[in-house]
Amino acid sequence: MRVTVLAALAVGCHGFSALAPVRRQAHLRPLRATKSDDVASSITSAISEPPPDSASTTPGSLAVAATTATTATTAATATTATTAADVVVPSANDDEYRKGVATIFFITLLFASNSPALKFAFTASTAIPSPPVLILNAAVAVVALVGLLVGGPLLSGTVDDPSTLRLSDDPQENDAVALRAGLELGLWKSLATTANIAGLSLTTADHGAFLIQLTTLIVPAYQGITGVPIPGRIWSAIGLALTGVFLFTQDPSSSGGATLTGDLVCVVAALFYATYDLRLFTYGKLVRPLQLITNKIAFQAVVSVVFAGGFLAWEAQQGPRGSGAEFIAAATAAPGEATLVLAVVVWCGLVVNAIASFLQVGGQQAIGPARAQVVYASQPLWAAGLALVFLNETVGPEGVVGGLAFLAAMFLAATAPVPDANCEVEVCEI
C-alpha cells in the first residue's frame, strides 16, 4: 500500500514539474489563455480527493487513484505541448525575413528621393517664389491620402499581411485600435515631416538627409534600454552607419548653403521620426497595414491642411504680400513653372508617403526596427547621389569614405542571423 501511495504522489509531482516551464514561458510572453491551471486542478483532485468511503480504503482503491493520477498526467503532458504551442509568438521565417530586407532596401531608395525632391521644389524655378513649407506639406499629405483611398485596395491585394499580425476577435475593438494608432502615428509623422521640410529649406539636401538619420542610433538605443536583445553584429552595423553620417557631415564639398539652424531642425525631425518608427512597429502587430497607414495619413492631411489654412489666414492679416499669397499668385500666372512643383508634390505624396509607408509596416515587422534603421541609414548615400545628379551638389573624399562605411554597415545588417520572436526575454527583437 505504502509503495502504491508513493507511486501516485510521484506521478502527480511529475505532472506539476512538466507544467512549470510552460507557466514560465506564458508569464514571459502571454498571448492567449491556457489550460494549465485547469490541468493542475485535475491532478490535485486525482491525488488528494478521498474515495467515496475513506474508512474502507483498500489497496485496490489506492491503485485506482494511482491510475487516475497517471491518466491526468498524460492529459497534462498533451495539454502542455498544446499550451507551449499556444504561447509561441508568430515569427518571420527565413523567406519572409529576406523579403523584409528587400522591402526595406526598396523603400529606403524611395525615402532617399524625398530630400532632393523637396529641395528641388524650393529651387526649381526663378520665375516663382519657393512654396511655403506648410503649404507644400499640406499638398503632399492630401495627395498621399487620395492615392491610398483610390489605389489602396489594389496595393493591399498584392502584399500579404505580416505573420506577426494579431487581430482581436472583436471588429469594433480592431477599429478602435486602428483609429487610435492612426491619430498617434499621424501626429508624430506630421511633426517629423514639418520639421524635415523646414530644416531642408535652411540647409543642404545631403546635410538634411544625414542628420535625420540619427534615428539609426535613437531607435536601437531606446530598444536596448527597454531590454530588447540587439545582436552584436547589429550594434557594429549601427556604429559604422553613424561613422558614415559623421563623415558625410564633415565633407567640406557639401557645406555650401548649410546653416546651424537648419541642421538643428533636422535633428529635431530625427527625434520625431524615431518615435514614429518605434510606435509603427508596435501598432503593426495590431492593425492591418492599409488601415493603419490610411488612418495615419488621413490625420496628417487634416492637421497639415489646418496648419496651412491658419498660415494663409495669418499672412492675410499681415498684408497682401505674404509668401503664401505670392506663391499662389505666381504659380497661377506661370503654370508651366508650377508644374515642376506639382510633380514634386505628386512624387513625395503618392510614392514616398503612401506606397513606401504602406510597405514599411510589413518590412519592419519582418526584420525589426533596429535592423531596419541600419538600412534606412543609407538614405544619405542615395540622397547624395541624387543631389549630385539633379541639384549639382558635390561629394568630397569624406563623403566617399562615409558611403563606404554605409555599405559595410548594410552588409553586416543583411548577413546578421534572423531575429527570433520567441527569445528568452520578455521583449524580443520582433
Side-chain angles (χ1 to χ4, degrees):
M1 267 197 314
R2 189 171 301 170
V3 173
T4 307
V5 172
L6 291 175
L9 291 174
V11 170
C13 291
H14 173 73
F16 281 114
S17 65
L19 285 174
V22 178
R23 295 178 64 82
R24 180 182 65 80
Q25 188 177 4
H27 169 71
L28 288 176
R29 297 183 64 73
L31 291 181
R32 52 178 70 89
T34 68
K35 299 181 181 178
S36 300
D37 294 334
D38 294 338
V39 175
S41 298
S42 299
I43 299 173
T44 303
S45 176
I47 297 174
S48 61
E49 186 176 355
D53 185 4
S54 58
S56 58
T57 300
T58 65
S61 64
L62 288 174
V64 170
T67 303
T68 304
T70 304
T71 304
T73 303
T74 303
T77 304
T79 306
T80 298
T82 303
T83 304
D86 284 345
V87 298
V88 171
V89 181
S91 177
N93 56 36
D94 289 350
D95 183 59
E96 185 177 0
Y97 179 75
R98 286 192 294 269
K99 289 181 179 178
V101 172
T103 298
I104 294 298
F105 268 106
F106 175 66
I107 67 172
T108 297
L109 294 176
L110 298 183
F111 286 146
S113 69
N114 192 58
S115 294
L118 292 175
K119 189 67 176 181
F120 178 75
F122 291 124
T123 60
S125 174
T126 57
I128 60 175
S130 299
V133 169
L134 292 177
I135 292 179
L136 184 61
N137 193 26
V140 168
V142 169
V143 168
L145 178 60
V146 172
L148 280 178
L149 292 176
V150 174
L154 176 63
L155 187 64
S156 182
T158 61
V159 179
D160 294 332
D161 287 336
S163 63
T164 54
L165 182 65
R166 301 195 301 270
L167 296 176
S168 169
D169 293 332
D170 184 359
Q172 292 184 343
E173 182 180 347
N174 289 329
D175 290 339
V177 173
L179 178 61
R180 184 171 67 251
L183 292 177
E184 182 182 342
L185 293 177
L187 174 62
W188 292 120
K189 197 60 178 284
S190 294
L191 293 172
T193 303
T194 301
N196 187 8
I197 296 176
L200 287 172
S201 68
L202 300 172
T203 191
T204 60
D206 51 359
H207 260 225
F210 301 144
L211 292 173
I212 287 170
Q213 287 315 306
L214 287 175
T215 54
T216 305
L217 177 62
I218 297 171
V219 169
Y222 174 82
Q223 287 198 299
I225 291 172
T226 56
V228 177
I230 306 298
R233 180 182 287 259
I234 299 300
W235 280 117
S236 299
I238 291 168
L240 279 172
L242 290 174
T243 300
V245 171
F246 174 78
L247 291 172
F248 262 103
T249 55
Q250 299 303 307
D251 187 353
S253 301
S254 62
S255 60
T259 65
L260 178 61
T261 301
D263 288 351
L264 289 176
V265 173
C266 287
V267 171
V268 173
L271 292 172
F272 290 142
Y273 278 127
T275 304
Y276 170 81
D277 286 343
L278 288 165
R279 299 301 291 160
L280 178 68
F281 179 68
T282 298
Y283 284 123
K285 298 179 182 297
L286 306 174
V287 185
R288 283 197 166 91
L290 181 60
Q291 186 179 19
L292 180 63
I293 296 303
T294 300
N295 288 353
K296 185 266 294 187
I297 290 182
F299 180 80
Q300 275 185 262
V302 171
V303 171
S304 301
V305 169
V306 169
F307 282 178
F311 170 73
L312 291 174
W314 175 80
E315 278 202 332
Q317 294 180 348
Q318 307 303 311
R321 302 298 295 174
S323 60
E326 269 192 39
F327 171 75
I328 294 174
T332 304
E337 298 289 334
T339 302
L340 298 175
V341 178
L342 179 61
V344 170
V345 168
V346 171
W347 175 264
C348 291
L350 187 60
V351 177
V352 178
N353 282 272
I355 296 176
S357 295
F358 169 80
L359 296 175
Q360 182 183 14
V361 179
Q364 280 199 175
Q365 288 300 313
I367 74 173
R371 297 173 188 241
Q373 290 302 322
V374 176
V375 183
Y376 294 154
S378 67
Q379 287 185 48
L381 179 63
W382 315 121
L386 292 172
L388 175 67
V389 173
F390 295 104
L391 302 179
N392 294 320
E393 294 185 5
T394 59
V395 177
E398 291 87 348
V400 173
V401 176
L404 294 175
F406 279 125
L407 293 176
M410 288 187 291
F411 173 79
L412 285 177
T415 56
V418 177
D420 182 13
N422 298 293
C423 62
E424 294 300 321
V425 298
E426 187 169 355
V427 183
C428 293
E429 195 177 353
I430 61 172

PDB file of all heavy atoms in Angstrom, residues 85 110 114-115 127 157 179 218 303 313-314 349 355 359:
ATOM      1  N   ALA A  85       2.635  25.424 -27.631  1.00  0.00           N
ATOM      2  CA  ALA A  85       2.408  25.894 -29.000  1.00  0.00           C
ATOM      3  C   ALA A  85       1.590  27.167 -28.985  1.00  0.00           C
ATOM      4  O   ALA A  85       1.773  28.053 -29.816  1.00  0.00           O
ATOM      5  CB  ALA A  85       1.687  24.804 -29.810  1.00  0.00           C
ATOM      6  N   LEU A 110      13.250  54.893 -52.012  1.00  0.00           N
ATOM      7  CA  LEU A 110      12.145  55.840 -52.194  1.00  0.00           C
ATOM      8  C   LEU A 110      12.236  56.974 -51.173  1.00  0.00           C
ATOM      9  O   LEU A 110      12.065  58.149 -51.519  1.00  0.00           O
ATOM     10  CB  LEU A 110      10.803  55.112 -52.056  1.00  0.00           C
ATOM     11  CG  LEU A 110      10.516  54.002 -53.062  1.00  0.00           C
ATOM     12  CD1 LEU A 110       9.125  53.420 -52.837  1.00  0.00           C
ATOM     13  CD2 LEU A 110      10.652  54.516 -54.489  1.00  0.00           C
ATOM     14  N   ASN A 114      13.212  61.710 -51.191  1.00  0.00           N
ATOM     15  CA  ASN A 114      12.374  62.760 -50.623  1.00  0.00           C
ATOM     16  C   ASN A 114      13.127  64.072 -50.443  1.00  0.00           C
ATOM     17  O   ASN A 114      12.643  65.142 -50.849  1.00  0.00           O
ATOM     18  CB  ASN A 114      11.817  62.295 -49.280  1.00  0.00           C
ATOM     19  CG  ASN A 114      10.708  63.193 -48.762  1.00  0.00           C
ATOM     20  OD1 ASN A 114       9.703  63.390 -49.424  1.00  0.00           O
ATOM     21  ND2 ASN A 114      10.900  63.724 -47.562  1.00  0.00           N
ATOM     22  N   SER A 115      14.319  64.001 -49.857  1.00  0.00           N
ATOM     23  CA  SER A 115      15.077  65.235 -49.583  1.00  0.00           C
ATOM     24  C   SER A 115      15.477  65.969 -50.861  1.00  0.00           C
ATOM     25  O   SER A 115      15.217  67.179 -50.986  1.00  0.00           O
ATOM     26  CB  SER A 115      16.319  64.906 -48.745  1.00  0.00           C
ATOM     27  OG  SER A 115      15.948  64.456 -47.467  1.00  0.00           O
ATOM     28  N   ALA A 127      11.177  81.915 -61.669  1.00  0.00           N
ATOM     29  CA  ALA A 127      10.008  82.697 -62.076  1.00  0.00           C
ATOM     30  C   ALA A 127       8.960  82.766 -60.976  1.00  0.00           C
ATOM     31  O   ALA A 127       8.144  83.695 -60.952  1.00  0.00           O
ATOM     32  CB  ALA A 127       9.392  82.092 -63.342  1.00  0.00           C
ATOM     33  N   GLY A 157      -3.939  44.162 -51.949  1.00  0.00           N
ATOM     34  CA  GLY A 157      -4.159  42.846 -52.531  1.00  0.00           C
ATOM     35  C   GLY A 157      -2.902  42.198 -53.062  1.00  0.00           C
ATOM     36  O   GLY A 157      -2.870  40.977 -53.282  1.00  0.00           O
ATOM     37  N   LEU A 179      -7.991  53.380 -35.147  1.00  0.00           N
ATOM     38  CA  LEU A 179      -8.219  54.827 -35.084  1.00  0.00           C
ATOM     39  C   LEU A 179      -7.211  55.487 -34.161  1.00  0.00           C
ATOM     40  O   LEU A 179      -6.614  56.517 -34.506  1.00  0.00           O
ATOM     41  CB  LEU A 179      -9.648  55.101 -34.602  1.00  0.00           C
ATOM     42  CG  LEU A 179     -10.025  56.581 -34.451  1.00  0.00           C
ATOM     43  CD1 LEU A 179      -9.908  57.302 -35.782  1.00  0.00           C
ATOM     44  CD2 LEU A 179     -11.441  56.718 -33.877  1.00  0.00           C
ATOM     45  N   ILE A 218      19.021  56.433 -32.300  1.00  0.00           N
ATOM     46  CA  ILE A 218      17.946  56.645 -31.319  1.00  0.00           C
ATOM     47  C   ILE A 218      17.095  55.387 -31.142  1.00  0.00           C
ATOM     48  O   ILE A 218      16.798  54.976 -30.012  1.00  0.00           O
ATOM     49  CB  ILE A 218      17.070  57.835 -31.752  1.00  0.00           C
ATOM     50  CG1 ILE A 218      17.900  59.128 -31.777  1.00  0.00           C
ATOM     51  CG2 ILE A 218      15.881  57.990 -30.805  1.00  0.00           C
ATOM     52  CD1 ILE A 218      17.178  60.301 -32.402  1.00  0.00           C
ATOM     53  N   VAL A 303      -4.400  67.674 -40.245  1.00  0.00           N
ATOM     54  CA  VAL A 303      -3.537  68.583 -39.490  1.00  0.00           C
ATOM     55  C   VAL A 303      -2.787  69.533 -40.424  1.00  0.00           C
ATOM     56  O   VAL A 303      -2.705  70.747 -40.168  1.00  0.00           O
ATOM     57  CB  VAL A 303      -2.535  67.774 -38.632  1.00  0.00           C
ATOM     58  CG1 VAL A 303      -1.488  68.690 -38.022  1.00  0.00           C
ATOM     59  CG2 VAL A 303      -3.271  67.014 -37.547  1.00  0.00           C
ATOM     60  N   ALA A 313      -4.292  82.472 -43.382  1.00  0.00           N
ATOM     61  CA  ALA A 313      -5.137  83.457 -42.705  1.00  0.00           C
ATOM     62  C   ALA A 313      -4.292  84.459 -41.930  1.00  0.00           C
ATOM     63  O   ALA A 313      -4.572  85.668 -41.938  1.00  0.00           O
ATOM     64  CB  ALA A 313      -6.116  82.739 -41.770  1.00  0.00           C
ATOM     65  N   TRP A 314      -3.249  83.952 -41.276  1.00  0.00           N
ATOM     66  CA  TRP A 314      -2.362  84.842 -40.526  1.00  0.00           C
ATOM     67  C   TRP A 314      -1.642  85.805 -41.466  1.00  0.00           C
ATOM     68  O   TRP A 314      -1.519  87.006 -41.164  1.00  0.00           O
ATOM     69  CB  TRP A 314      -1.352  84.012 -39.749  1.00  0.00           C
ATOM     70  CG  TRP A 314      -0.321  84.846 -39.027  1.00  0.00           C
ATOM     71  CD1 TRP A 314      -0.472  85.497 -37.851  1.00  0.00           C
ATOM     72  CD2 TRP A 314       1.000  85.134 -39.500  1.00  0.00           C
ATOM     73  NE1 TRP A 314       0.681  86.169 -37.532  1.00  0.00           N
ATOM     74  CE2 TRP A 314       1.609  85.967 -38.535  1.00  0.00           C
ATOM     75  CE3 TRP A 314       1.728  84.774 -40.622  1.00  0.00           C
ATOM     76  CZ2 TRP A 314       2.903  86.431 -38.659  1.00  0.00           C
ATOM     77  CZ3 TRP A 314       3.017  85.230 -40.741  1.00  0.00           C
ATOM     78  CH2 TRP A 314       3.601  86.054 -39.784  1.00  0.00           C
ATOM     79  N   GLY A 349       4.095  62.714 -52.344  1.00  0.00           N
ATOM     80  CA  GLY A 349       2.846  62.285 -51.735  1.00  0.00           C
ATOM     81  C   GLY A 349       2.501  60.849 -52.062  1.00  0.00           C
ATOM     82  O   GLY A 349       2.289  60.021 -51.165  1.00  0.00           O
ATOM     83  N   ILE A 355       2.906  54.841 -50.812  1.00  0.00           N
ATOM     84  CA  ILE A 355       3.365  53.481 -51.132  1.00  0.00           C
ATOM     85  C   ILE A 355       4.478  53.035 -50.193  1.00  0.00           C
ATOM     86  O   ILE A 355       4.431  51.939 -49.613  1.00  0.00           O
ATOM     87  CB  ILE A 355       3.826  53.413 -52.598  1.00  0.00           C
ATOM     88  CG1 ILE A 355       2.647  53.674 -53.533  1.00  0.00           C
ATOM     89  CG2 ILE A 355       4.459  52.052 -52.901  1.00  0.00           C
ATOM     90  CD1 ILE A 355       3.010  53.714 -55.004  1.00  0.00           C
ATOM     91  N   LEU A 359       4.419  49.868 -47.385  1.00  0.00           N
ATOM     92  CA  LEU A 359       5.355  48.749 -47.413  1.00  0.00           C
ATOM     93  C   LEU A 359       6.224  48.701 -46.153  1.00  0.00           C
ATOM     94  O   LEU A 359       6.681  47.628 -45.750  1.00  0.00           O
ATOM     95  CB  LEU A 359       6.250  48.848 -48.646  1.00  0.00           C
ATOM     96  CG  LEU A 359       5.540  48.727 -50.005  1.00  0.00           C
ATOM     97  CD1 LEU A 359       6.539  48.978 -51.140  1.00  0.00           C
ATOM     98  CD2 LEU A 359       4.888  47.360 -50.162  1.00  0.00           C
TER      99      LEU A 359
END
